[in-house]
Amino acid sequence: MEAMHSSPRSVLAKLVRLRIIWLVLVIVIGAVILKVTVPFQLSTASSNQSGKKNVLTASYDMQRTGQNRQETRLTTANLNKDTFGMLSSFPVIGSIQAQPLYVSNVRIGGKSHNVVYVATTADRVYAFDADGGANATGPLWQTNLGLSEHAPGIYGTPVIALEQQGEGTLYVITNDSLQSQHLHALDITNGQPRPGSPALINPEGFRPATTYQRTGLALVQGVIYAGWMGLELSGAAEHGWVMAFDAHTLKLIDAFNTTADVNTAPSGKNKGNDLETGNPGSVWQSTTGLSVDAEGNVYPIVSNGPFNGRTSYGDSFLKLRLINGKFSVIDYFTPFNQQCLKEWDYDLGSSGNLLLPDQTGRHRHLMLGVSKSGRLYLVDRDDPGGFVEVPGLSCASPQEQQTNVDRIVQESQIALLPGLFMAPVYWSTPSGKQYIYVSGANADTGQGDTIKAFELTNGQLNLTPVMHTSLTYGYPGAGIAVSSDGDKAGTGILWALQPAFCHGGGCNPQDSAILRAYDATNLNRELYNSEQNVARDGLDSYQKFTRPVVADGKVFVCSQSILYIYGQLHP
């Protein structure tokens, strides 16, 4: 039988068909991968739906700038007691330590709602209609995640990943009991758990009875990051932690112990407040969210703890990165007077880490933090500076006031501020000026301060405030945020939650808070406060470390156990 031979034309046709089939397979597989991975990359809170602003993480973004530059409704011209006030309030079970989050156009019960999400220390998560007004009677849904009646509950602000319009997943960590903690993934439309939720958190060496999850959660490139504090009054050796979880499976990727292989148990009274506290190297940041850049570098600030630069990083700025599934310390900065900070309870990690937008000049990538001693540090994220040892350093002496020892971009002297617990806020004005707003306070004395604005120019701060409020805010300082319509003049508003009066050091203010609003370009100009019509707008109490959240013409404020919604009275 004669062998059959294909013509060159038929061979070419077969090759073309094979290439078409291969191309189709690549497109299909790519679409599937994209469908899976994209939702977990939309967690920077700059996401929008139908022109509306979503607040998906603490402080609006993963850099923790505290600014919402997409507020188109509230302006300095239309904000006053006659046009703006309280619209509704919703009581909850448990106290509200976490910041509320907001998503527009969520499909619930067959209808589209603008939804505000609230998590509490009773391990409850609520979804409320942000536009319900005075006629709203309760939550759209609520869920009880508690696995114990004696749970410390939810402290860290959740994070939300949007999938498509009206759908998404809310991630939250519960301090369930003295025996366990869990990571939960909830459907934002009904509060039901996603597959694999909840997932037990129990890395080697972790002590859930005395270690609490405190920071706001971060979500970047499909990875959830969170920070933990060790209970410094437990009398035992505790530790701080940073952990990473796979957002798809909820499984732990790695856990980083900030003070591994060292003794952190109390060894005597500290000199700042005369308390016998341990030094666990907590990552708590007054519940501010962990800062993460676009490349997935994580920047926690570690509180009081031992330092050796190898396994223990007390009182340090860290730059961590997951490499082959393990945390690596890429670099760090530790102040030269670290031992003094630890001895006096002047830890760095009380206010969180602000990652600034790219700057001009030599140091383009900056981060900013302030210690309890009121010393400000401006650090290059690409070259943080490490540790400079000063032999024979004497604490509480002029030697400790030196500002040219550390190899960083800039630092102030001690007591530039009374101290700082409430996260600083960044905002750039319509004229191009860059401001850092801070509200300082001292935990040991209860001393407060005005809200101050420092100007940032060419990567350097003018350490003399360019403006400040006339009002002094008591401990722990004002919770602040800025809203604006991009660079449009007349839209920059600084929002401040004034704590109740607090007597002396170590107090916990609980009486009525006051919501205030200022022109962000002129802090002498107060636009509104909730005491101007207290019968309509007054708050019942104050919750420590909380701050206002602004989105789509609404301002969400949490007291100890009530969500208040403010907005335009006659939109």
Side-chain angles (χ1 to χ4, degrees), residues 173 183 200-206 218 222-228 240-247 249-258 260 290 296 298 300 319-330:
I173 292 174
L183 171 62
L200 179 67
I201 300 171
N202 191 28
E204 183 178 357
F206 182 66
V223 179
I224 299 166
Y225 298 96
W228 274 257
W241 297 81
V242 176
M243 300 189 199
F245 304 86
D246 188 309
T249 66
L250 307 187
K251 292 182 178 180
L252 178 71
I253 298 173
D254 194 29
F256 178 82
N257 183 335
T258 63
L290 280 184
V298 187
K319 181 177 183 177
L320 303 178
R321 185 186 303 160
L322 282 174
I323 299 177
N324 297 324
K326 296 292 182 182
F327 273 119
S328 294
V329 179
I330 302 302

Side-chain angles (χ1 to χ4, degrees), residues 230-502:
L231 189 62
E232 59 184 14
L233 294 174
S234 74
E238 309 294 351
H239 302 281
W241 297 81
V242 176
M243 300 189 199
F245 304 86
D246 188 309
H248 306 274
T249 66
L250 307 187
K251 292 182 178 180
L252 178 71
I253 298 173
D254 194 29
F256 178 82
N257 183 335
T258 63
T259 50
D261 302 325
V262 294
N263 182 17
T264 64
S267 57
K269 294 181 178 180
N270 73 60
K271 299 175 182 178
N273 53 29
D274 205 33
L275 295 176
E276 190 167 349
T277 57
N279 293 283
S282 292
V283 181
W284 74 290
Q285 304 183 167
S286 297
T287 71
T288 302
L290 280 184
S291 301
V292 187
D293 66 20
E295 286 72 44
N297 296 304
V298 187
Y299 299 90
I301 302 183
V302 182
S303 295
N304 293 333
F307 169 81
N308 60 26
R310 300 181 307 277
T311 62
S312 186
Y313 295 91
D315 299 289
S316 299
F317 289 69
L318 294 184
K319 181 177 183 177
L320 303 178
R321 185 186 303 160
L322 282 174
I323 299 177
N324 297 324
K326 296 292 182 182
F327 273 119
S328 294
V329 179
I330 302 302
D331 216 330
Y332 67 92
F333 161 64
T334 306
F336 74 94
N337 64 334
Q338 184 274 331
Q339 185 64 28
C340 301
L341 296 178
K342 182 169 75 72
E343 290 179 4
W344 285 79
D345 189 30
Y346 284 159
D347 59 88
L348 288 179
S350 59
S351 63
N353 197 351
L354 170 58
L355 306 189
L356 295 171
D358 288 358
Q359 300 293 306
T360 59
R362 178 181 173 188
H363 304 283
R364 298 190 64 238
H365 304 132
L366 297 174
M367 55 185 171
L368 181 145
V370 181
S371 73
K372 282 184 185 177
S373 69
R375 184 172 232 161
L376 181 149
Y377 301 87
L378 192 61
V379 181
D380 189 329
R381 304 199 305 265
D382 299 325
D383 183 16
F387 174 66
V388 177
E389 184 176 4
V390 178
L393 175 65
S394 176
C395 299
S397 71
Q399 186 183 20
E400 197 187 356
Q401 280 281 15
Q402 297 177 90
T403 60
N404 59 354
V405 177
D406 292 319
R407 294 187 294 258
I408 62 174
V409 176
Q410 188 180 12
E411 70 182 270
S412 73
Q413 290 193 335
I414 294 171
L416 175 71
L417 303 169
L420 193 65
F421 292 86
M422 307 307 296
V425 169
Y426 168 90
W427 183 63
S428 60
T429 72
S431 63
K433 294 181 178 180
Q434 299 181 88
Y435 290 147
I436 307 294
Y437 301 90
V438 294
S439 180
N442 187 297
D444 297 329
T445 65
Q447 175 190 355
D449 200 3
T450 59
I451 300 174
K452 293 180 167 66
F454 296 92
E455 187 172 358
L456 179 68
T457 306
N458 295 325
Q460 290 280 319
L461 278 170
N462 178 357
L463 295 180
T464 300
V466 295
M467 57 180 166
H468 60 82
T469 60
S470 59
L471 178 68
T472 295
Y473 288 76
Y475 174 79
I480 55 178
V482 172
S483 64
S484 70
D485 184 3
D487 292 325
K488 188 177 295 185
T491 65
I493 301 170
L494 182 133
W495 301 88
L497 187 61
Q498 179 184 353
F501 182 74
C502 189

Side-chain angles (χ1 to χ4, degrees), residues 1-196:
M1 185 175 177
E2 184 176 344
M4 297 181 64
H5 297 280
S6 300
S7 68
R9 181 173 295 179
S10 65
V11 170
L12 181 61
K14 289 179 180 180
L15 288 174
V16 170
R17 286 195 296 271
L18 286 172
R19 290 179 67 87
I20 291 173
I21 293 170
W22 174 250
L23 181 60
V24 170
L25 285 173
V26 169
I27 292 172
V28 170
I29 293 171
V32 170
I33 292 173
L34 189 64
K35 180 180 178 61
V36 171
T37 59
V38 163
F40 304 108
Q41 297 175 6
L42 293 179
S43 56
T44 59
S46 60
S47 172
N48 294 283
Q49 294 180 349
S50 304
K52 292 180 177 290
K53 170 71 176 178
N54 295 315
V55 182
L56 309 179
T57 189
S59 304
Y60 299 102
D61 51 50
M62 296 300 166
Q63 296 74 41
R64 313 306 174 189
T65 63
Q67 61 170 341
N68 171 7
R69 297 182 61 82
Q70 297 168 329
E71 176 50 55
T72 60
R73 299 183 186 180
L74 300 174
T75 70
T76 58
N78 67 21
L79 183 60
N80 58 68
K81 65 180 177 60
D82 298 320
T83 62
F84 179 88
M86 187 189 299
L87 303 177
S88 58
S89 61
F90 299 96
V92 297
I93 297 173
S95 66
I96 309 171
Q97 299 275 349
Q99 173 194 303
L101 301 177
Y102 173 84
V103 182
S104 61
N105 300 324
V106 180
R107 297 292 296 178
I108 299 178
K111 297 181 179 180
S112 181
H113 298 267
N114 297 323
V115 181
V116 55
Y117 296 90
V118 174
T120 79
T121 57
D123 280 339
R124 297 321 205 262
V125 179
Y126 296 83
F128 294 105
D129 190 333
D131 304 321
N135 296 324
T137 57
L140 297 165
W141 58 256
Q142 61 176 302
T143 184
N144 182 2
L145 304 176
L147 303 180
S148 168
E149 291 299 320
H150 305 286
I154 299 168
Y155 282 84
T157 298
V159 67
I160 293 175
L162 294 184
E163 296 165 14
Q164 55 186 352
Q165 186 164 331
E167 297 181 5
T169 300
L170 181 147
Y171 297 93
V172 63
I173 292 174
T174 54
N175 300 288
D176 303 305
S177 69
L178 298 182
Q179 289 76 40
S180 67
Q181 297 179 17
H182 288 83
L183 171 62
H184 302 257
L186 308 178
D187 185 332
I188 65 170
T189 67
N190 54 30
Q192 293 301 304
R194 297 293 196 189

